[in-house]
Amino acid sequence: MKEYANKNMLKDEIEKTYAKFIAEFDAISEEQKDLRAEGVDRTPAENLAYQVGWTTLLLRWEQEERKGLEVTTPSDQFRWNQLGALYQWFTDTYAGLSLRELRARLDTNVREIYEMIDTMQEEDLFLPHRRRWADGATKSAVWPVSKFIHVNTVAPFKTFRTKIRTWKRLML
């Protein structure tokens, strides 16, 4: 994982990877959003649903902690050993939306993640043990919030951009 020296570096990396990722959907029509390509594990709609799902959870974890609530990661309905079921829930919940709606939700989530970063103190973002939800999300690893943000934005934006580019090469 890339290490970030400050908030702006983290936000710049999110912005750069997100812009490249979301631009891949410009050439995909609404009629194509649910088409499966052999060798690609997600349709365009499922790809976006995954991103909407994880970014929504990330924002919820921080919002609930700020309200003083007990946060269960990844969610109240799923444990870390149930990620397949969680991914299916993302698909069931979001993939039926139009590409325009999915993109709008993801745009909103990314903007809210920028706001979350801006409102956090540097030490809360980059040092471990500053959020209960972050400490409780892993069994043995000690991650700062910035790593959770990276793992739920930058990393999948890069990985899933490759997947959607493969889908486009096969289907368009």
Side-chain angles (χ1 to χ4, degrees):
M1 181 192 104
K2 183 174 183 168
E3 295 294 325
Y4 302 100
N6 58 51
K7 292 178 182 186
N8 288 333
M9 285 181 66
L10 176 57
K11 286 171 42 181
D12 289 348
E13 188 72 8
I14 295 167
E15 183 176 7
K16 179 179 78 174
T17 57
Y18 180 61
K20 289 179 181 178
F21 168 75
I22 204 68
E24 295 297 338
F25 294 87
D26 290 347
I28 301 170
S29 72
E30 189 63 37
E31 294 75 31
Q32 297 167 316
K33 78 177 189 83
D34 297 315
L35 296 178
R36 293 214 175 271
E38 191 165 331
V40 181
D41 63 347
R42 288 182 174 87
T43 67
E46 291 168 346
N47 188 313
L48 286 168
Y50 179 93
Q51 307 303 323
V52 169
W54 276 115
T55 55
T56 298
L57 285 179
L58 175 65
L59 290 164
R60 184 179 305 148
W61 299 336
E62 181 63 15
Q63 290 163 354
E64 288 179 355
E65 177 144 338
R66 286 182 183 210
K67 291 177 183 176
L69 301 173
E70 187 69 30
V71 179
T72 302
T73 58
S75 79
D76 292 336
Q77 299 169 312
F78 301 97
R79 300 292 173 253
W80 289 108
N81 64 351
Q82 299 173 305
L83 291 179
L86 177 62
Y87 300 159
Q88 185 60 53
W89 187 86
F90 291 160
T91 297
D92 295 344
T93 302
Y94 301 113
L97 300 173
S98 71
L99 287 179
R100 187 172 43 94
E101 290 169 314
L102 285 163
R103 290 176 70 161
R105 283 188 186 217
L106 191 53
D107 285 343
T108 297
N109 283 359
V110 169
R111 280 193 314 274
E112 288 181 10
I113 289 168
Y114 294 151
E115 291 170 16
M116 180 178 103
I117 292 167
D118 285 339
T119 62
M120 294 181 83
Q121 298 294 318
E122 293 273 337
E123 56 270 10
D124 291 339
L125 192 57
F126 296 109
L127 296 177
H129 308 300
R130 302 296 291 201
R131 289 294 190 269
R132 289 185 317 272
W133 66 258
D135 284 349
T138 62
K139 287 246 185 231
S140 58
V142 178
W143 287 8
V145 170
S146 61
K147 185 166 184 174
F148 282 96
I149 293 171
H150 174 90
V151 166
N152 288 290
T153 59
V154 173
F157 293 158
K158 287 180 180 180
T159 301
F160 283 77
R161 179 176 181 234
T162 301
K163 292 176 184 240
I164 200 64
R165 289 171 65 90
T166 301
W167 182 94
K168 286 169 58 179
R169 192 172 51 256
L170 294 169
M171 301 300 285
L172 301 182

